[in-house]
Amino acid sequence: MSVVGVATNMGPCGLSADSDEISFVCYRDITTGTVIDITDNGWETSNPGLWGNKEGIVRITRVGPTVPKGTVFTLHATNLGSSWDYQMWPFQGWLTTHISPAGGNFNLEMGGDQVYILSGGTWDFGAGADVASYDGKVLTGYNTRSVWAADGTNNQSNLHPSLEPCY
């Protein structure tokens, strides 16, 4: 899986301010029941070996028929003011669920942010800040900044060790 495009703050494009889009392509068929998690929680944001848990996680489940490999998918994260709406395009046959424990939303920051796409696991959000774990597979990571370097903020993280840096 690869990220092919990220757009933050889609307000100038006619959507509400802070709305985001992220497009990605899968190299395998997406079959009914496939679960994909997309998060802007960072890896080792504040604690070595652990995920952040203050931002958003959108769980996407394929409930429709198989979608062939090579199809580009787009997650629309729309700021509705008091809440957020998450939809997939093509959005027929997808179930999107916001599963963030601290009420954080998937909202990419214009000043820099990371995106991780994961599958096949469950989250343990822990009892403190930035102490989440995930037991599935990290499929890909994307950073809107030029370097991967955690700095204790929500806008920067380290690169997960299962991924190779690509420049």
Side-chain angles (χ1 to χ4, degrees):
M1 177 173 293
S2 293
V3 173
V4 295
V6 173
T8 63
N9 190 12
M10 298 292 292
C13 298
L15 298 174
S16 59
D18 286 337
S19 297
D20 302 319
E21 292 184 351
I22 178 170
S23 297
F24 55 96
V25 62
C26 282
Y27 301 115
R28 295 184 179 181
D29 292 346
I30 303 295
T31 58
T32 302
T34 298
V35 176
I36 300 169
D37 290 338
I38 299 179
T39 184
D40 59 341
N41 278 304
W43 171 251
E44 297 183 334
T45 299
S46 299
N47 296 302
L50 297 169
W51 291 94
N53 60 5
K54 296 180 282 193
E55 294 190 272
I57 302 167
V58 179
R59 176 159 284 167
I60 302 162
T61 305
R62 183 68 186 154
V63 294
T66 298
V67 178
K69 62 185 172 188
T71 301
V72 175
F73 302 92
T74 300
L75 171 66
H76 299 269
T78 306
N79 183 352
L80 301 176
S82 61
S83 64
W84 283 73
D85 180 55
Y86 303 99
Q87 293 188 12
M88 287 291 291
W89 182 87
F91 55 84
Q92 295 176 335
W94 296 98
L95 172 66
T96 59
T97 309
H98 179 249
I99 62 170
S100 301
N105 293 299
F106 181 88
N107 177 17
L108 300 175
E109 302 299 326
M110 288 178 43
D113 218 333
Q114 67 285 313
V115 176
Y116 279 100
I117 302 175
L118 312 98
S119 185
T122 56
W123 289 93
D124 177 350
F125 297 113
D130 297 329
V131 293
S133 61
Y134 184 79
D135 62 4
K137 184 172 183 175
V138 179
L139 302 176
T140 193
Y142 183 86
N143 191 346
T144 63
R145 292 189 171 183
S146 59
V147 297
W148 289 91
D151 62 4
T153 71
N154 291 339
N155 300 78
Q156 192 60 10
S157 95
N158 289 332
L159 180 64
H160 192 274
S162 67
L163 302 175
E164 293 182 28
C166 180
Y167 302 97

